[in-house]
């Protein structure tokens, strides 16, 4: 009984761990596990991943968008970035997809003029006013826009684009994720971590709402559906699958997240997760 006083409290409950592991297995099976194994990187908020100088808000958004699409493995998707004032409707076109949704072999085209009801997608992916939805004004492209206020908060801009791309993957996957339709919002955030954006997603999962106006722009914050703890745990699982050392992660996390990440790594190690990770990777064909 006395020993319980010194027992380490898990970062998350077993039920949450199980959902995250099951959803990673689902993503590996349906969202190109081979791309995760061979091509996915841990995307860090640094000039290495988002280099260059720009002379306008739209140039910056375009540069960030293009890099984010590349890292997500969605360069073969018919996507185009448009300025907010040029964005038109909020309809999502029906796509014709190959078995592979990511990577050089993916074949994604606009199927026809039929569209999905994009209400739920817009709500969970774009946080209402912050991001404009895809549309079929150009029947060969899906238009994506952005929130200009995020230019001064680049991690929010990256995470919002990653969230949109994760939304498209989740909604075009051949099977619902674990938990079904009710868990689509949480799955979208997990898939963004699965694509390699876990550090940036963890850093933007919670935004302090107080302080002076210059400290935080609420309109630039992305909408989160996973908690900070859950997002950090998704990041830790990605790092375990990719054999990424925590020393490569910690310098890029916000200060208060470092201990959470260490705890997540420790919990994964204590839960025999090396066997679990091996089982997950065995799903890759």
């Amino acid at each position: 009984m006395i020993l319980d006083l010194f027992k380490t409290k898990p970062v998350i409950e077993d039920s949450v761990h199980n959902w995250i592991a099951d959803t990673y297995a689902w993503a590996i099976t349906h969202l190109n596990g081979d791309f995760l194994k061979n091509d996915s990187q841990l995307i860090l908020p640094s000039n290495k991943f988002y280099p260059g100088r720009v002379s306008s808000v739209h140039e910056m958004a375009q540069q960030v968008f293009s890099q984010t699409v590349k890292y997500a493995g969605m360069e073969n998707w018919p996507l185009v970035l448009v300025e907010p004032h040029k964005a038109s409707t909020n309809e999502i076109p029906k796509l014709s997809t190959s078995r592979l949704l990511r990577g050089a072999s993916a074949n994604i085209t606009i199927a026809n003029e039929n569209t999905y009801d994009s209400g739920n997608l817009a709500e969970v992916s774009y946080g209402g006013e912050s991001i404009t939805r895809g549309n079929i004004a150009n029947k060969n492209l899906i238009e994506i826009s952005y929130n200009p206020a995020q230019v001064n908060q680049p991690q929010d801009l990256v995470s919002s684009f990653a969230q949109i791309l994760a939304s498209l993957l989740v909604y075009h996957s051949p099977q619902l994720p674990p938990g079904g339709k009710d868990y689509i919002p949480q799955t979208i955030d997990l898939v963004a971590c699965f694509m390699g954006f876990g550090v940036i997603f963890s850093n933007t999962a919670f935004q302090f709402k107080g302080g002076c106006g210059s400290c935080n722009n609420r309109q630039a914050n992305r909408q989160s559906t996973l908690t900070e703890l859950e997002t950090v745990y998704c990041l830790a699982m990605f790092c375990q699958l990719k054999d990424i050392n925590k020393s490569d992660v910690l310098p890029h996390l916000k200060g208060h997240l470092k201990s959470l990440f260490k705890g997540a790594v420790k919990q994964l190690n204590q839960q025999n997760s090396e066997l679990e990770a091996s089982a997950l990777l065995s799903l890759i064909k």
Side-chain angles (χ1 to χ4, degrees):
M1 196 69 177
I2 295 176
L3 292 176
D4 287 341
L5 295 174
F6 302 98
K7 187 176 181 180
T8 303
K9 184 179 179 181
V11 174
I12 61 171
E13 297 178 357
D14 286 347
S15 60
V16 180
H17 165 88
N18 292 337
W19 177 81
I20 290 174
D22 289 345
T23 307
Y24 258 89
W26 169 86
I28 287 172
T29 301
H30 299 292
L31 305 180
N32 293 45
D34 57 341
F35 190 90
L36 169 71
K37 181 179 180 180
N38 300 321
D39 300 290
S40 289
Q41 306 175 69
L42 181 64
I43 309 305
L44 300 173
S46 69
N47 288 331
K48 174 184 175 182
F49 290 93
Y50 290 95
R53 292 179 176 273
V54 295
S55 58
S56 70
V57 168
H58 186 65
E59 276 188 31
M60 178 175 179
Q62 181 64 64
Q63 187 176 79
V64 170
F65 177 72
S66 298
Q67 291 295 103
T68 304
V69 168
K70 181 180 76 172
Y71 297 141
M74 296 176 68
E75 290 178 287
N76 284 359
W77 282 64
L79 307 174
V80 63
L81 187 72
V82 297
E83 295 176 81
H85 68 278
K86 295 181 180 178
S88 47
T89 69
N90 64 349
E91 295 176 323
I92 302 296
K94 186 173 182 179
L95 299 179
S96 174
T97 63
S98 61
R99 183 183 66 83
L100 299 177
L101 293 177
R102 300 194 295 155
S105 299
N107 184 16
I108 316 293
T109 58
I110 303 295
N112 52 47
E113 295 186 17
N114 295 327
T115 59
Y116 295 111
D117 177 2
S118 62
N120 290 335
L121 179 59
E123 181 182 350
V124 299
S125 304
Y126 312 112
E129 77 234 5
S130 62
I131 297 290
T132 307
R133 283 66 111 187
N135 70 80
I136 56 168
N138 181 332
K139 292 182 174 58
N140 295 315
L141 295 170
I142 300 171
E143 289 183 7
I144 293 173
S145 195
Y146 56 93
N147 178 1
Q150 290 184 332
V151 170
N152 292 321
Q153 294 178 201
Q155 289 198 67
D156 287 279
L157 182 62
V158 172
S159 61
S160 291
F161 283 146
Q163 204 168 37
I164 294 170
L165 300 177
S167 300
L168 291 171
L169 288 175
V170 171
Y171 275 84
H172 289 93
S173 65
Q175 180 178 312
L176 284 171
K181 187 175 180 180
D182 291 342
Y183 278 79
I184 285 179
Q186 294 88 339
T187 299
I188 288 169
D189 278 10
L190 181 146
V191 167
C193 296
F194 169 81
M195 293 191 299
F197 298 96
V199 168
I200 296 172
F201 246 62
S202 296
N203 286 338
T204 59
F206 172 79
Q207 301 289 348
F208 177 62
K209 305 303 182 185
C212 63
S214 62
C215 297
N216 179 67
N217 184 349
R218 297 187 189 188
Q219 292 182 341
N221 299 162
R222 76 169 177 88
Q223 178 183 354
S224 304
T225 52
L226 292 180
T227 66
E228 271 188 325
L229 285 170
E230 293 162 350
T231 306
V232 168
Y233 203 83
C234 291
L235 165 63
M237 187 166 286
F238 175 88
C239 292
Q240 185 182 58
L241 290 171
K242 294 289 293 181
D243 196 24
I244 297 170
N245 194 286
K246 64 183 178 183
S247 63
D248 296 326
V249 179
L250 290 171
H252 301 279
L253 285 173
K254 287 183 175 178
H256 71 284
L257 298 178
K258 296 179 190 292
S259 61
L260 298 182
F261 181 73
K262 291 177 182 177
V265 171
K266 184 175 182 179
Q267 181 174 342
L268 282 169
N269 291 337
Q270 288 177 339
Q271 288 188 297
N272 233 358
S273 287
E274 285 189 10
L275 293 175
E276 185 176 66
S278 178
L280 287 174
L281 290 174
S282 72
L283 297 171
I284 298 174
K285 298 178 181 179

